[in-house]
């Protein structure tokens, strides 16, 4: 047997003339596509080409996963389109050699193959995967503002058809082995590694002349090429449907469609070359830099515990108490039981507690119908939730999350009652959305163990939890709260106690600016469209209706009272007057009541209330749409920078990720601080000052921003 061990690729030739190439990069837990891997791969293909006794090759991995994808550090650092073009062309040249080497090549996929990993597999003639439910296959590049530049946009449509391939790439969906097989991406499943290798050998023996279908002169596209009648119809509407969703904010979306459409009109090699051009365009785009910076590097840093205090062992919650089985408490119970935590769900009446538990049953029944869970799994999850009114049931809980009505005295009362039965070591968390944690902790006998865990609604869908440190919260309590948030598979950000914490405070500036625009005579429809065009998930007026105007007014009244009690002057937002008028004069408290900025006729779509024009007359001259977008976005970015300056948020990663995951800050901008970086701090401050002059002090950049602009610095 001829065995050569390159640094990252093991080359083994057996007596039958079958070569096994094992990707196994030294010193790394996963294989990634970079020079360290591609150089020995190129050597290996040269050896195969030169050796006529080789009858076939099997490509597999020595790690748990097959190949995670391209080296993102390298792509992120690239600012030159020519370099990016060359990167894509070099990889494709290798894949071309692989698939035209005249010998059958099998990808033996022992685990996940994403992005460049799947593209490598697509360059093989046959794909066999171990049926491991944790393995994922997909081309997720668009999630980071990129596109598959290793031939993925050409091989996948030629393999499974244009209409099946497009959504997989546009949405960046990852498939399980069985799904990938069903879609025709994987040919065969194997039960384990030995079975996979045996199947690979058998296929090589049976297919000595293997070649790719697209290299066959008589190749026919499955479902037709771009000119086929069905695809022509699809191409007539797909781009406009995509831009109606993305508002043109994601260049990768348009570029992927162009690759597939144009690639579907030309021969394979020309198609590959045009893909490299679109890939280069994505790589050097500001959007991919924004998205990779925050949604890859910063998110990874958070997941690795950047904001978690060091020196405390990882902890796990085994029994959780949830006080208040309302909307939030019910959701918190569900996501916790989902990861195997025993939950005690407590309310004032058994009926209310049962109703909270029924929320989980409802979600699970829906999953069951859709085949996403089994009856046993549902019953097991429900058995972990105990609905009760008895505080004694909280005995043995290592964490309590309080989610009763937003009322200080009530929260103090349940805190005392719960602590009476809890072990001294238990952590007590409040899910308050507005009340300062330090104040709530005064009701606690152990303020060191008291912390804020601010969930978002609906709890089962929203990926973020904002952890709030009170003045007396201990680092150990923070570490344990952090671990719990990760245990329920959500992303934690850590903030200091302050009015509105971080997310609610900055989120409010978006909604309030939208309302201020209304006051300035801007047509309400333009305001909503500006929000969507800016990349926000919902227009500001619709969002205010969802939050409810009456709740905002309640918080406003409370804030005014608090300021008066502290003897501080309260500087209101111009939008306050609109909210007061809407609730107190016009009786339009929001969506729940069926009337706010919108009307919500039953059984029909909501529409902007036609009385708005009378109450807030539309000016005869309307500002440019870009002015509206700037107001909506600068208001948020300036406030986020202030939160960072004041130490409410302590890291750039938490600030950016908190903005995207918490209230949907335009993801293509990479978060509220990255928005400033992308402008350049000097240009940002210049524009902010112009907005301040025209619209008021809320656009005044803080001291930190002024200093950064002077020194030309960025948030890092
Ligand atoms: P909710 O009105 O739906 O639920 C509150 C529940 O608490 C009710 O079931 C009520 O019966 C129960 N309750 C009242 N007094 C109690 C007591 N003494 N003991 C036990 N249970 C008691 O309210 P919600 O929307 O779930 O909000 C709960 C908390 O979460 C509030 O502090 C709120 O500010 C906060 N919060 C809400 C949201 C949101 O979007 N709704 C988001 C983040 C945080």
């Amino acid at each position: 047997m001829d065995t050569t061990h390159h640094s990252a690729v093991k080359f083994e030739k057996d007596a039958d003339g079958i070569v096994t190439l094992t990707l196994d990069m030294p010193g790394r837990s996963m294989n990634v596509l970079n020079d360290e891997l591609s150089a020995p791969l190129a050597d290996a293909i040269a050896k195969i080409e030169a050796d006529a006794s080789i009858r076939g090759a099997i490509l597999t991995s020595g790690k748990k996963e097959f190949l995670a994808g391209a080296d993102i550090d390298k792509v992120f650092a690239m600012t030159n389109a020519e370099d990016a073009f060359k990167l894509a062309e070099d990889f494709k040249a290798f894949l071309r050699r692989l698939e035209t080497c005249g010998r059958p090549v099998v990808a033996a996929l022992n685990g996940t193959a994403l992005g460049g990993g799947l593209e490598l597999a697509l360059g093989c003639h046959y794909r066999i995967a171990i049926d491991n439910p944790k393995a994922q296959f997909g081309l997720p590049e668009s999630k980071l503002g990129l596109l598959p530049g290793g031939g993925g946009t050409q091989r996948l449509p030629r393999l499974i058809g244009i209409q099946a391939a497009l959504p997989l790439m546009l949405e960046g969906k990852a498939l399980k082995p069985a799904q990938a097989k069903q879609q025709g991406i994987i040919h065969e499943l194997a039960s384990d590694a030995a079975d996979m290798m045996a199947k690979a050998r058998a296929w090589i023996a049976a297919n000595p002349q293997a070649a790719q279908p697209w290299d066959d002169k008589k190749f026919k596209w499955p479902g037709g090429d771009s000119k086929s009648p069905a695809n022509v119809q699809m191409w007539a509407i797909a781009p406009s449907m995509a831009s109606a969703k993305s508002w043109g904010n994601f260049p990768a979306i348009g570029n992927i469609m162009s690759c597939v459409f144009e690639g579907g009109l030309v021969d394979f090699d020309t198609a590959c070359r045009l893909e490299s051009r679109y890939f280069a365009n994505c790589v050097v785009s500001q959007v991919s830099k924004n998205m990779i910076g925050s949604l890859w590097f910063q998110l990874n840093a958070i997941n690795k515990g950047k904001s978690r205090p060091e020196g405390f062992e990882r902890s796990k919650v085994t029994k959780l108490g949830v006080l208040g089985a309302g909307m939030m408490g019910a959701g918190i119970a569900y996501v916790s039981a989902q990861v195997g935590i025993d939950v005690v769900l407590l309310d004032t009446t058994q009926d209310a507690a049962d109703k909270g538990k029924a929320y989980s049953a409802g979600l699970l029944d829906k999953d069951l119908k859709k085949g996403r869970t089994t009856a046993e799994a549902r019953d097991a999850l429900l058995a972990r939730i105990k609905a009760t009114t008895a505080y004694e049931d909280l005995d043995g809980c290592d964490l309590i999350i309080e989610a009763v009505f937003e009322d200080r005295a009530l929260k103090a009362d349940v805190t005392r009652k719960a602590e009476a039965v809890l072990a001294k070591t238990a952590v007590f968390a409040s899910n308050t959305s507005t009340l300062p944690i330090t104040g709530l902790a005064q009701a606690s006998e152990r303020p060191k163990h008291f912390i804020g865990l601010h969930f978002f609604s609906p709890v089962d869908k929203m990926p973020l939890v904002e952890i709030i440190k009170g003045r007396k919260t201990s680092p150990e309590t923070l570490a344990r709260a952090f671990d719990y948030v990760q245990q329920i598979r959500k992303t934690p950000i850590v903030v200091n106690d302050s009015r509105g914490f971080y997310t609610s405070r900055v989120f409010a500036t978006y909604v309030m600016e939208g309302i201020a625009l209304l006051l300035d005579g801007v047509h309400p429809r333009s305001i909503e469209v500006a929000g969507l065009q800016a990349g926000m998930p919902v227009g500001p007026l619709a969002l205010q209706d969802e939050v409810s105007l009456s709740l905002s007014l309640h918080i406003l009244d409370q804030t005014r009272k608090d300021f008066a009690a502290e003897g501080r002057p309260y500087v209101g937002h111009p939008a306050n007057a609109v909210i007061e008028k809407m609730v107190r004069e016009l009786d339009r408290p929001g969506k729940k009541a069926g009337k706010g900025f919108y009307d919500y006729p039953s059984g029909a779509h909501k529409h902007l209330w036609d009385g708005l024009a009378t109450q807030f007359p539309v000016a005869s001259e309307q500002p440019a749409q870009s002015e509206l977008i700037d107001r909506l976005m600068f208001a948020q970015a300036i406030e986020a920078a202030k939160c960072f300056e004041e130490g409410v948020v302590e890291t750039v990663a938490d600030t950016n990720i908190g903005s995207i995951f918490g209230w949907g800050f335009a993801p293509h901008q990479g978060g509220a601080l990255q928005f400033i970086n992308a402008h350049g701090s000097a240009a940002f401050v210049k524009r902010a000052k112009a907005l301040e002059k025209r619209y008021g002090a809320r656009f005044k950049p803080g001291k930190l921003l002024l200093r950064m602009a002077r020194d030309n610095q960025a948030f890092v």
Side-chain angles (χ1 to χ4, degrees), residues 189-428:
L189 295 178
S191 52
D192 56 23
D195 182 34
M196 173 174 74
M197 295 310 274
K199 283 179 166 150
R201 284 165 185 286
W203 192 82
I204 288 173
N207 296 274
Q209 304 293 332
Q212 295 285 33
W214 41 89
D215 285 324
D216 185 338
K217 284 215 174 61
K218 287 189 231 132
F219 171 64
K220 278 217 165 57
W221 284 72
D225 66 7
S226 281
K227 296 189 300 296
S228 78
N231 287 335
V232 163
Q233 265 190 10
M234 187 270 300
W235 286 126
I237 51 168
S240 45
M241 273 172 66
S243 70
K245 254 202 217 161
S246 68
W247 293 90
N249 287 327
F250 298 89
I253 300 286
N255 283 348
I256 288 172
M257 283 199 277
S258 297
C259 285
V260 178
F261 172 71
E262 294 173 28
L265 299 172
V266 297
D267 66 86
F268 186 75
D269 288 316
T270 311
C272 279
R273 180 155 281 233
L274 66 86
E275 177 195 82
S276 297
R277 297 212 171 92
Y278 284 113
F279 174 74
N281 178 277
C282 285
V283 170
V284 299
S285 72
Q286 183 62 48
V287 170
S288 79
K289 301 302 177 205
N290 291 342
M291 294 180 86
I292 297 172
S294 58
L295 294 169
W296 180 257
F297 290 111
Q298 292 177 359
L299 183 57
N300 285 344
I302 289 175
N303 290 339
K304 283 192 189 130
K306 189 181 167 84
S307 299
R308 182 189 187 275
E310 281 173 20
F312 303 98
E313 251 181 55
R314 285 260 148 201
S315 64
K316 249 189 168 178
V317 171
T318 50
K319 187 175 174 189
L320 168 75
V322 180
L323 311 183
M327 185 167 86
M328 299 304 287
I332 295 165
Y334 171 73
V335 297
S336 303
Q338 216 176 19
V339 297
I341 298 174
D342 285 325
V343 181
V344 177
L345 183 57
L346 181 145
D347 210 299
T348 45
T349 64
Q350 188 61 42
D351 206 35
D354 288 340
K355 219 168 126 197
K357 180 172 173 173
Y359 176 75
S360 287
L363 290 177
L364 289 162
D365 285 342
K366 245 193 236 157
D367 279 354
L368 193 60
K369 249 193 214 147
K370 290 193 176 151
R372 287 195 296 237
T373 192
T374 59
E376 300 79 57
R378 175 198 60 185
D379 295 347
L381 193 154
L382 288 176
R384 281 195 285 274
I385 303 177
K386 181 180 171 71
T388 185
T389 59
Y391 277 83
E392 304 85 74
D393 287 337
L394 299 175
D395 183 29
C397 283
D398 19 32
L399 172 68
I400 299 287
I401 300 174
E402 165 279 300
V404 301
F405 299 136
E406 190 78 338
D407 179 295
R408 277 199 190 94
L410 184 66
K411 288 190 189 287
D413 181 50
V414 300
T415 304
R416 281 189 287 265
K417 282 184 179 146
E419 283 187 356
V421 293
L422 286 177
K424 289 271 178 286
T425 52
V427 170
F428 191 102

Side-chain angles (χ1 to χ4, degrees), residues 439-456:
L440 293 179
Q442 283 169 4
S444 168
E445 296 257 314
R446 339 150 175 164
K448 278 187 186 169
H449 291 222
F450 199 99
I451 198 161
L453 280 178
H454 182 209
F455 285 80
F456 297 79

Side-chain angles (χ1 to χ4, degrees), residues 387-713:
T388 185
T389 59
Y391 277 83
E392 304 85 74
D393 287 337
L394 299 175
D395 183 29
C397 283
D398 19 32
L399 172 68
I400 299 287
I401 300 174
E402 165 279 300
V404 301
F405 299 136
E406 190 78 338
D407 179 295
R408 277 199 190 94
L410 184 66
K411 288 190 189 287
D413 181 50
V414 300
T415 304
R416 281 189 287 265
K417 282 184 179 146
E419 283 187 356
V421 293
L422 286 177
K424 289 271 178 286
T425 52
V427 170
F428 191 102
S430 173
N431 176 45
T432 175
S433 27
T434 54
L435 303 169
I437 293 301
T438 305
L440 293 179
Q442 283 169 4
S444 168
E445 296 257 314
R446 339 150 175 164
K448 278 187 186 169
H449 291 222
F450 199 99
I451 198 161
L453 280 178
H454 182 209
F455 285 80
F456 297 79
S457 170
V459 177
D460 56 292
K461 293 225 171 70
M462 296 296 286
L464 192 79
V465 177
E466 184 176 29
I467 304 181
I468 303 125
K469 293 186 274 181
R471 205 171 298 144
K472 294 190 177 161
T473 306
S474 72
E476 185 184 357
T477 301
L478 173 57
R480 288 171 61 188
F482 193 98
D483 295 344
Y484 163 70
V485 174
Q486 290 198 313
Q487 191 181 350
I488 57 170
R489 299 192 201 117
K490 300 213 179 277
T491 301
I493 62 164
V494 178
V495 312
N496 283 297
D497 204 8
S498 145
R499 188 170 296 281
F501 313 129
Y502 162 59
T503 54
S504 308
R505 173 170 157 187
V506 184
F507 160 75
T509 62
Y510 169 62
V511 173
M512 297 298 260
E513 199 54 39
I515 298 173
L517 285 167
L518 189 66
L519 205 55
D520 290 350
V522 178
H523 193 287
R525 185 71 200 139
S526 302
I527 301 171
E528 297 296 78
V529 170
L532 297 170
Q533 266 180 330
M536 303 298 294
V538 183
L541 302 178
L543 214 47
Q544 177 64 72
D545 272 5
E546 305 251 345
V547 171
S548 109
L549 290 117
S550 48
L551 178 65
S552 297
L553 185 59
H554 176 76
I555 295 171
L556 174 65
D557 287 341
Q558 183 68 43
T559 309
R560 282 177 175 147
K561 248 196 254 163
D562 290 353
F563 270 71
E566 293 162 19
R568 290 195 289 151
Y570 175 70
V571 188
H573 194 287
N576 289 343
V578 177
I579 294 181
E580 284 193 283
K581 181 171 173 163
M582 288 287 287
V583 179
R584 297 214 161 108
E585 272 178 42
L586 305 168
D587 184 29
R588 300 195 66 89
K591 183 178 174 181
K592 241 190 202 161
K595 48 186 183 173
F597 290 116
Y598 285 78
D599 267 327
Y600 299 85
S602 64
H605 283 302
K606 70 172 186 230
H607 58 82
L608 281 157
W609 174 43
D610 54 13
L612 275 182
T614 327
Q615 299 302 329
F616 310 100
V618 175
S620 55
E621 229 176 278
Q622 292 287 301
Q625 199 71 1
S626 60
E627 182 85 354
L628 311 186
I629 293 176
D630 274 5
R631 281 178 67 173
L632 292 172
M633 299 309 278
F634 273 65
Q636 297 176 73
I638 289 167
E639 197 69 16
K642 280 185 193 152
C643 287
F644 185 72
E645 177 176 354
E646 292 167 18
V648 175
V649 247
E650 294 172 352
T651 70
V652 174
D654 281 357
T655 317
N656 280 330
I657 292 299
S659 71
I660 298 175
F661 285 10
W663 72 92
F665 186 92
H668 72 282
Q669 302 283 9
L673 294 184
Q674 177 56 27
F675 180 81
I676 299 173
N677 284 353
H679 277 78
S681 48
F684 181 89
V685 163
K686 193 169 162 217
R687 179 73 176 125
K689 282 182 172 167
L691 292 170
E692 180 195 352
K693 211 164 151 198
R694 214 171 299 155
Y695 305 110
R698 62 188 185 276
F699 288 104
K700 189 181 164 90
K703 284 206 188 77
L704 173 69
L705 266 179
L706 294 176
R707 218 172 39 238
M708 287 175 59
R710 194 194 58 209
D711 302 341
N712 213 4
Q713 285 174 335

Side-chain angles (χ1 to χ4, degrees), residues 26-331:
R28 275 186 180 265
S29 61
M30 281 202 218
N31 295 314
V32 296
L33 204 56
N34 62 10
D35 296 341
E36 198 193 326
L37 188 70
S38 52
L41 269 176
D43 288 348
I45 188 74
K47 269 174 100 170
I48 293 171
E49 285 165 344
D51 184 347
S53 72
I54 293 177
R55 292 172 42 228
I58 303 171
L59 212 57
T60 190
S61 148
K63 310 283 190 210
K64 208 167 111 215
E65 312 299 353
F66 179 70
L67 177 53
D71 188 346
I72 296 188
D73 297 69
K74 189 170 170 179
V75 173
F76 185 59
M78 268 182 184
T79 51
N80 184 332
E82 275 170 39
D83 294 342
F85 178 75
K86 185 168 182 314
L87 179 78
E89 286 288 284
D90 287 350
F91 180 38
K92 273 187 279 217
F94 164 76
L95 293 176
R96 217 53 200 117
R97 275 174 81 181
L98 188 70
E99 67 188 0
T100 57
C101 73
R103 264 64 62 85
V105 182
V106 178
L109 303 166
N110 53 310
T112 293
L114 291 172
L118 184 61
E119 289 181 305
L120 177 58
L122 290 171
C124 300
H125 302 111
Y126 198 67
R127 284 164 291 283
I128 307 174
I130 297 180
D131 193 8
N132 161 8
K134 288 214 175 114
Q136 297 187 318
F137 303 100
L139 297 172
E141 288 84 347
S142 70
K143 288 187 170 168
L144 295 178
L146 299 171
L147 60 79
T153 70
Q154 301 311 320
R155 288 192 180 88
L156 195 62
R158 281 171 174 79
L159 188 69
I160 66 171
I162 287 177
Q163 299 203 23
L166 257 187
L168 287 178
M169 294 187 283
L170 293 175
E171 292 161 30
K173 232 164 129 181
L175 304 174
K176 291 181 181 171
Q179 293 171 309
K181 169 148 192 295
Q182 196 202 352
Q183 291 252 18
I185 298 170
I186 279 164
H187 298 96
E188 206 174 341
L189 295 178
S191 52
D192 56 23
D195 182 34
M196 173 174 74
M197 295 310 274
K199 283 179 166 150
R201 284 165 185 286
W203 192 82
I204 288 173
N207 296 274
Q209 304 293 332
Q212 295 285 33
W214 41 89
D215 285 324
D216 185 338
K217 284 215 174 61
K218 287 189 231 132
F219 171 64
K220 278 217 165 57
W221 284 72
D225 66 7
S226 281
K227 296 189 300 296
S228 78
N231 287 335
V232 163
Q233 265 190 10
M234 187 270 300
W235 286 126
I237 51 168
S240 45
M241 273 172 66
S243 70
K245 254 202 217 161
S246 68
W247 293 90
N249 287 327
F250 298 89
I253 300 286
N255 283 348
I256 288 172
M257 283 199 277
S258 297
C259 285
V260 178
F261 172 71
E262 294 173 28
L265 299 172
V266 297
D267 66 86
F268 186 75
D269 288 316
T270 311
C272 279
R273 180 155 281 233
L274 66 86
E275 177 195 82
S276 297
R277 297 212 171 92
Y278 284 113
F279 174 74
N281 178 277
C282 285
V283 170
V284 299
S285 72
Q286 183 62 48
V287 170
S288 79
K289 301 302 177 205
N290 291 342
M291 294 180 86
I292 297 172
S294 58
L295 294 169
W296 180 257
F297 290 111
Q298 292 177 359
L299 183 57
N300 285 344
I302 289 175
N303 290 339
K304 283 192 189 130
K306 189 181 167 84
S307 299
R308 182 189 187 275
E310 281 173 20
F312 303 98
E313 251 181 55
R314 285 260 148 201
S315 64
K316 249 189 168 178
V317 171
T318 50
K319 187 175 174 189
L320 168 75
V322 180
L323 311 183
M327 185 167 86
M328 299 304 287

